[in-house]
Amino acid sequence: MFHGVDLTSRLMLGTAQYPSPQILLEAIAASGAEVITVSLRREGVAGGAFRDLLAESRCRLLPNTAGCHTVREAVTTARMAREVFGTSWIKLEVIGHADTLQPDPFALVEAARVLCAEGFDVFPYTTEDLIVGEKLLEAGCKVLMPWGAPIGSGQGLRNPAGLRTMRAHFPDVPLIVDAGIGTPSQAAQAMELGFDAVLLNTAVAKAVDPVGMARAFGRAIQAGREGFEAGLMPERDMASASTPVFGLAELA
Amino acid sequence: MRIDLNGQTIETQAQTLADLLSEQGFESSCVATAVNGEFIARSLRSETRLDDGVKVEVLSPMQGG
């Protein structure tokens, strides 16, 4: 499904901002996620413990290039990540603006071209822009990750119509909604639109009960996917009685 | 020699990147390295010589979204 890897769960979970490593582990397990995102940073005091935790989670790792603002930074970070995490998967973020954390599409395409040529399996964090999506595919990407809303904002799908158009425009490309998801219902909405997966972090990590929220997201994403596969009814402008009129008593 | 290691200026006796990692107590199999913004693969650390004022980044797996 994603770069030749079949997954059971359609939830990908970030590992940052949890109250404790133990809660992170429990949240991963409760969510059912098989892919977790990680980063590269100057090592703090708990670096060794985090490596042990990653091994314990038994998840596939998706390293990110979070915080990179240029092609050079992102490419160097990706190369470092491939070596230290032992995977060619990379969540490519090239940030264009510090406040919105909006991707810089021009630098993103350029970095994607460099990394795809070096054999990386690139998961580009992009917008719902169709032409940027096409350029990323031309650059060698096999997956696209449009944002739902700005990272960490919890606003959900800010442009559902644009995402629906993107889904229709790239029917055969795995599409993952990444970032901005705040509630399980928003994740379900993305799945009902036909997206292949959802990637989120803050909504679980910053919940009052992260483990409970992780479970809720896992179920919402599964329900949304099942709804999509079952085929949603068409929306109507007017009411349409569901109970038959035939056989209605005359009581007036 | 003075170099920049992870944003801190330090004094080092290390001649190569591999020497620096062992001098500074990094577990060399658990970190990724860059010198002046360029990735240096594990296999090239012992032949990567450090010059005065060089900027070295030694990064580890950490939490991320």
Side-chain angles (χ1 to χ4, degrees), chain A residues 13-17 21 24 37-44 46-47 50-51 54 62 64 66 72 76-77 79-81 83-85 91 93 178 199 201, chain B residues 4-8 25-45 55-65:
Chain A
L13 195 61
T15 57
Q17 308 183 78
L24 166 59
T37 56
V38 290
S39 74
L40 273 182
R41 288 290 181 265
R42 296 166 176 173
E43 183 162 310
F50 187 64
R51 286 197 301 276
L54 294 183
L62 176 56
N64 69 28
R72 183 165 189 248
T76 296
T77 303
R79 290 170 179 160
M80 295 172 87
E83 183 182 73
V84 86
F85 291 110
K91 173 180 158 174
E93 294 180 44
D178 173 20
L199 199 168
N201 184 346
Chain B
D4 184 307
L5 173 62
N6 286 354
Q8 306 271 326
F26 287 103
E27 270 184 77
S28 87
S29 61
C30 302
V31 294
T33 48
V35 172
N36 289 336
E38 293 294 334
F39 168 57
I40 305 293
R42 205 170 279 157
S43 58
L44 297 177
R45 286 173 189 163
K55 283 171 70 84
V56 179
E57 289 285 346
V58 180
L59 304 184
S60 303
M62 296 297 279
Q63 295 85 343

